[in-house]
Amino acid sequence: NAGVTQTPKFQVLKTGQSMTLQCAQDMNHEYMSWYRQDPGMGLRLIHYSVGAGITDQGEVPNGYNVSRSTTEDFPLRLLSAAPSQTSVYFCASSWQRDTYEQYFGPGTRLTVT
Amino acid sequence: AQSVTQPDIHITVSEGASLELRCNYSYGATPYLFWYVQSPGQGLQLLLKYFSGDTLVQGIKGFEAEFKRSQSSFNLRKPSVHWSDAAEYFCAVGDTGGFKTIFGAGTRLFVKA
């Protein structure tokens, strides 16, 4: 199993540009989530999904969209990038929604200039 | 609302010395508690978790943590630190009524020879 994969590893955007961060898992996990990691702030939940077709907002959802058309994929879209979205983004998944033992991808480092 | 506090931003210990990383949480009910480790440039990996039962839990890589309800704490310990333990450590609490995990800001561990 590849586990949780994320692409790209690095990305530089200009303010106002849009892009999609890809996340895929091959463990048939129900639950998937997106976090951003900023220095001194730990990980903050952006959006999460408890299954295909079901998504919900986390702690910091503004400026981000998600969809979950399949169990495997959970892309994160930045509609109009802002410098405040410069961060490291992690995707995670877990087998059962009530265990919370999450498996993390390697992260995407995004810089918005 | 639930929250997690890791009072130490960074800690330096000598190789072979013992380690204790502090974590305090705020949550109304019995929480799900976790410790994750993040090596430089990597995603997070679960070290151990507490859901119920024995308050002393064993994890991977020789780590253990003790849940103390009276102190709202879940401190991570290791009797003898190795240079490879240098990393950032995150304490987290799972919302048993929902699907969200709240992370602390992290403690960076430095190991000196």
Side-chain angles (χ1 to χ4, degrees):
Chain A
N1 286 349
V4 180
T5 58
Q6 292 183 239
T7 56
K9 284 186 171 25
F10 302 93
Q11 183 70 49
V12 178
L13 290 178
K14 295 188 188 303
T15 297
Q17 288 184 317
S18 64
M19 80 159 296
T20 299
L21 307 185
Q22 301 292 344
C23 173
Q25 52 92 8
D26 60 359
M27 297 173 282
N28 202 29
H29 285 173
E30 294 178 316
Y31 180 91
M32 296 185 74
S33 55
W34 276 102
Y35 294 89
R36 59 177 290 172
Q37 183 179 31
D38 302 294
M41 302 189 73
L43 276 75
R44 291 181 292 168
L45 182 64
I46 304 171
H47 285 286
Y48 65 96
S49 168
V50 300
I54 307 169
T55 63
D56 204 348
Q57 296 181 348
E59 184 183 358
V60 288
N62 293 341
Y64 308 94
N65 275 358
V66 293
S67 60
R68 183 100 178 265
S69 57
T70 67
T71 299
E72 295 77 19
D73 300 300
F74 190 45
L76 178 72
R77 282 184 288 276
L78 283 69
L79 302 177
S80 178
S84 61
Q85 294 178 304
T86 294
S87 188
V88 181
Y89 291 85
F90 288 99
C91 179
S93 71
S94 64
W95 173 244
Q96 292 175 334
R97 69 188 68 177
D98 58 352
T99 65
Y100 302 93
E101 179 178 339
Q102 297 187 67
Y103 294 80
F104 283 81
T108 295
R109 183 173 294 275
L110 175 67
T111 302
V112 183
T113 62
Chain B
Q2 60 267 36
S3 64
V4 178
T5 302
Q6 294 181 246
D8 304 303
I9 297 173
H10 53 80
I11 282 181
T12 300
V13 299
S14 298
E15 192 168 18
S18 63
L19 170 70
E20 183 169 27
L21 302 182
R22 297 182 291 163
C23 172
N24 292 97
Y25 67 89
S26 172
Y27 190 73
T30 299
Y32 294 165
L33 295 164
F34 306 85
W35 276 99
Y36 286 86
V37 60
Q38 183 182 32
S39 298
Q42 304 294 316
L44 278 70
Q45 179 186 21
L46 182 70
L47 280 178
L48 48 79
K49 61 188 178 186
Y50 172 79
F51 288 165
S52 64
D54 192 346
T55 56
L56 184 63
V57 293
Q58 302 297 321
I60 63 171
K61 305 185 181 187
F63 286 91
E64 66 177 28
E66 186 171 13
F67 170 58
K68 293 186 177 180
R69 185 189 303 276
S70 62
Q71 298 176 17
S72 297
S73 69
F74 189 57
N75 294 351
L76 181 71
R77 300 194 294 250
K78 187 170 185 178
S80 178
V81 169
H82 187 262
W83 64 266
S84 61
D85 293 324
E88 189 151 22
Y89 292 79
F90 293 92
C91 182
V93 58
D95 179 0
T96 56
F99 307 104
K100 302 177 184 178
T101 302
I102 305 299
F103 286 82
T107 297
R108 182 166 293 279
L109 173 65
F110 298 95
V111 180
K112 60 183 181 181

